[in-house]
Amino acid sequence: MTAKTDKKAVDLSSFDDAKAKHEAGIEIAIVGPDGKTPMGFSIRAAGPDSERAQTAQEQLADELIEQENLTRLKAREAAQRGIRYLAKLTMGWAPNIILDGQELEFSEENAEKLYRRHRFIREQVDKAAGNRARFTKG
């Protein structure tokens, strides 16, 4: 499409910095179930435009194809895939947390465990990590 206009061209390179922020991730200060009491730890998550997010989406889609499960997902299956996707976006937490009396160091598997067990934490990370505006600040 080559319509002649008098307007200047739009330079999209200004979005390259935002892409780098998606890759670096953001710190999400976790608050308690009341929505305001600081829990004393934060979770770092990559953004929706990161390579990590793209790879996670592709891996989960490949699993569906391999299982030949291309029919409509049941709500529980979709929720479980959402937890696995969020765990793949999670880059770490600080400081380590204690769950069931044991220190839980960061791993993708432990992130899944945390998100399955504590919906209020999962929802905070999901909301922040999916918000592109959070990756354009500062």
Side-chain angles (χ1 to χ4, degrees):
M1 176 187 240
T2 56
K4 185 177 177 178
T5 67
D6 292 334
K7 294 182 180 180
K8 286 185 157 186
V10 176
D11 182 3
L12 297 179
S13 64
S14 63
F15 295 107
D16 291 343
D17 186 45
K19 174 83 165 95
K21 289 179 182 177
H22 281 257
E23 298 296 341
I26 57 169
E27 290 292 326
I28 304 156
I30 302 300
V31 295
D34 65 2
K36 49 188 169 183
T37 305
M39 296 290 296
F41 76 102
S42 63
I43 295 177
R44 177 169 284 279
D49 294 333
S50 67
E51 290 299 319
R52 182 183 287 258
Q54 182 65 39
T55 299
Q57 290 171 354
E58 291 167 357
Q59 287 173 345
L60 293 170
D62 286 346
E63 287 176 13
L64 281 176
I65 292 168
E66 287 171 11
Q67 297 168 2
E68 296 182 13
N69 187 9
L70 299 178
T71 59
R72 190 169 19 178
L73 287 177
K74 293 181 179 168
R76 183 169 181 79
E77 292 169 337
Q80 294 306 312
R81 289 195 179 279
I83 289 170
R84 290 184 49 224
Y85 173 74
L86 194 57
K88 289 177 180 298
L89 289 188
T90 303
M91 303 169 80
W93 51 62
N96 282 340
I97 56 179
I98 296 174
L99 195 63
D100 296 328
Q102 294 185 333
E103 191 168 325
L104 196 65
E105 293 185 7
F106 170 74
S107 70
E108 185 177 312
E109 180 181 327
N110 284 341
E112 278 189 52
K113 184 177 184 178
L114 176 66
Y115 297 149
R116 285 185 206 293
R117 178 117 168 229
H118 295 290
R119 181 182 300 222
F120 75 97
I121 295 173
R122 178 177 75 227
E123 288 174 352
Q124 289 174 65
V125 175
D126 188 34
K127 183 177 179 181
N131 183 350
R132 282 184 172 88
R134 294 278 308 260
F135 296 88
T136 60
K137 297 176 182 174

